Amino acid sequence: MHEYLVGIGEFRVAKGFAVLKTIGLGSCLGLALYDPLEKIGGLAHVMLPKSHNGTVRSAKYADHAVEMMLEAMERIGCKRHNIIAKIAGGAQIFEHMTMDFLKIGERNVEIVRSLLKEYNIRVVSEDVGGKLGRSVYFFTNNGKMLVKYSNGVERWI
């Protein structure tokens, strides 16, 4: 088993038994894509909802992350029609930021759900919103995701 750290604005894909982890999700979103038949998974640490015209392709944007991860997973043998998704994060860490354009966590969740629907990818579980930061550990052998909250609580999704 290999363990890979996914940094802010990055993604990783793996086949077989690996643990893909990302730490310190606040308003950021941990997006896991998984092909249960081929045991291929990917995890992205998404920072922002949408890129702008001319933006260099980067996994820090939700729209790029989904596309880039799907392409990388298909290159190592995954079948797009098998893919399911799990998402975690998208918290509103700073309660006093109430203006809509500052609700990045909420916007990250909305855009990722919308993009996955466009790709016909079903979200099978999620742990989003709230006020606590999270770290996630995604297991590519079985598609399970462990969510660890900043207050020490752990939850499997």
Side-chain angles (χ1 to χ4, degrees):
M1 180 210 39
H2 296 284
E3 189 170 294
Y4 300 101
L5 179 64
V6 179
I8 297 169
E10 296 177 349
F11 79 93
R12 282 278 199 149
V13 298
K15 185 173 187 165
F17 191 3
V19 179
L20 307 176
K21 69 177 182 178
T22 193
I23 57 176
L25 293 169
S27 60
C28 293
L29 199 63
L31 165 64
L33 298 180
Y34 186 61
D35 179 337
L37 299 178
E38 300 296 329
K39 304 283 189 235
I40 295 172
L43 181 66
H45 186 133
V46 176
M47 286 178 63
L48 298 167
K50 204 156 177 65
S51 62
H52 301 288
N53 285 342
T55 305
V56 174
R57 219 168 110 157
S58 167
K60 78 178 184 181
Y61 303 104
D63 51 346
H64 291 181
V66 172
E67 187 179 272
M68 292 168 74
M69 224 178 355
L70 286 172
E71 291 168 0
M73 289 172 66
E74 287 176 327
R75 279 195 298 274
I76 58 173
C78 128
K79 308 289 185 275
R80 195 172 287 203
H81 61 271
N82 295 337
I83 296 176
I84 56 174
K86 293 185 177 192
I87 56 176
Q92 181 70 22
I93 302 290
F94 304 108
E95 294 178 51
H96 62 282
M97 292 187 176
T98 56
M99 296 185 332
D100 283 345
F101 75 93
L102 293 173
K103 294 182 179 177
I104 293 173
E106 203 174 290
R107 289 173 42 224
N108 279 339
V109 172
E110 287 172 13
I111 192 86
V112 165
R113 283 182 184 146
S114 171
L115 288 163
L116 293 172
K117 190 173 186 175
E118 283 178 33
Y119 282 103
N120 291 319
I121 296 172
R122 189 169 47 99
V123 177
V124 295
S125 62
E126 62 180 47
D127 183 64
V128 298
K131 296 176 176 71
L132 293 173
R134 300 166 173 86
S135 293
V136 297
Y137 300 78
F138 184 64
F139 295 78
T140 59
N141 64 319
N142 59 18
K144 291 187 177 182
M145 182 185 276
L146 176 62
V147 180
K148 293 185 177 185
Y149 292 90
S150 56
N151 67 359
V153 172
E154 296 183 0
R155 178 175 179 223
W156 287 92
I157 65 168

